């Protein structure tokens, strides 16, 4: 990835991981850092702008998710520096290097925000799983473990998002929809 004119020179460290491995792992981590920072701001965008009857629970859920992502940015950046690298964590680097699409600005409802976030958490989760395999293949079990930890929670968050979409919210216990009930009453 571009380092804004800075070559990714490694700082001296006594860590027993080769320069070749560290260089590759740092590049993977910095890519993840950019996407994580981008995703965090997108979740905040949803937190601030969601509207509708489910406003409060979604407003709170999105804030929790953003706080988690903030913690992950710190964990990825500090793994970069533990490996002797330069963490690239400004908003400008994030915007230019993130692999995620920009967040839509013309949506309001909870459902639309959930769909938009699920459409971003899914590729982010995929990239984490790829990074687990890549860093494991490179022999850096600790970075692979970090990715595994984050990946598990991101999968859980994708489930939380998708659970809002997976059942017809208007279906009652006897299987009839509220719309059908309203129709029957008005006859
Ligand atoms: Fe807030």
């Amino acid at each position: 990835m571009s380092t804004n004119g800075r070559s990714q020179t490694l700082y001296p460290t006594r860590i027993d991981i080769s320069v070749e491995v560290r260089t590759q792992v740092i590049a993977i981590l910095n890519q993840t850092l950019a996407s994580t920072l981008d995703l965090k701001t997108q979740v905040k965008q949803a937190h601030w702008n969601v509207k509708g009857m489910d406003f409060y629970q979604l407003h709170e859920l999105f804030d929790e998710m953003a706080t988690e992502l903030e913690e992950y940015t710190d964990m990825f950046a500090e793994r970069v520096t533990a490996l002797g690298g330069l963490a690239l964590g400004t908003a400008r680097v994030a915007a230019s290097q993130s692999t995620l699409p920009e967040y839509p600005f013309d949506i309001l409802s909870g459902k639309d925000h959930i769909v938009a976030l699920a459409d971003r958490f899914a590729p982010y989760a995929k990239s984490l799983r790829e990074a687990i395999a890549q860093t494991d293949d490179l022999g850096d079990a600790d970075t692979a473990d970090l990715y595994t930890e984050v990946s598990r929670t991101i999968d859980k968050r994708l489930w939380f998002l998708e659970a809002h979409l997976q059942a017809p919210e208007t279906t009652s216990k006897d299987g009839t929809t509220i719309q059908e009930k309203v129709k029957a009453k008005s006859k």
Side-chain angles (χ1 to χ4, degrees), residues 93-179:
V93 171
S96 69
Q97 300 298 324
S98 171
T99 55
L100 304 174
E102 174 59 294
Y103 201 74
F105 296 124
D106 58 349
I107 57 174
L108 292 176
S109 74
K111 188 180 176 198
D112 287 350
H113 279 290
I114 285 163
V115 169
L117 290 176
D119 284 347
R120 285 151 182 80
F121 269 72
Y124 179 68
K126 181 172 186 274
S127 75
L128 296 177
R129 225 175 312 284
E130 286 166 356
I132 296 170
Q134 288 169 341
T135 52
D136 196 42
D137 285 350
L138 285 164
D140 182 353
D142 296 287
T143 302
D145 181 62
L146 166 60
Y147 273 112
T148 304
E149 180 186 342
V150 176
S151 168
R152 192 165 42 241
T153 312
I154 294 298
D155 282 352
K156 185 173 159 189
R157 287 313 195 180
L158 181 59
W159 160 47
F160 275 33
L161 290 168
E162 289 188 325
H164 291 85
L165 308 169
Q166 284 166 342
E169 48 192 285
T170 52
T171 301
S172 57
K173 275 183 193 153
D174 62 5
T176 54
T177 65
I178 287 170
Q179 288 93 327

Side-chain angles (χ1 to χ4, degrees), residues 40-51 55-67 103 113 117:
K40 187 205 77 178
T41 65
Q42 297 202 21
V43 176
K44 274 289 190 183
Q45 181 73 14
H47 163 74
W48 293 319
N49 291 294
V50 67
K51 298 190 190 303
F55 163 77
Y56 194 68
Q57 65 124 339
L58 293 178
H59 176 72
E60 291 287 296
L61 172 65
F62 297 159
D63 209 26
E64 250 177 53
M65 292 165 73
T67 302
Y103 201 74
H113 279 290
L117 290 176

Side-chain angles (χ1 to χ4, degrees), residues 77-91:
E78 290 178 4
R79 185 65 189 159
V80 168
T81 48
L83 293 171
L86 176 71
L88 302 170
T90 65

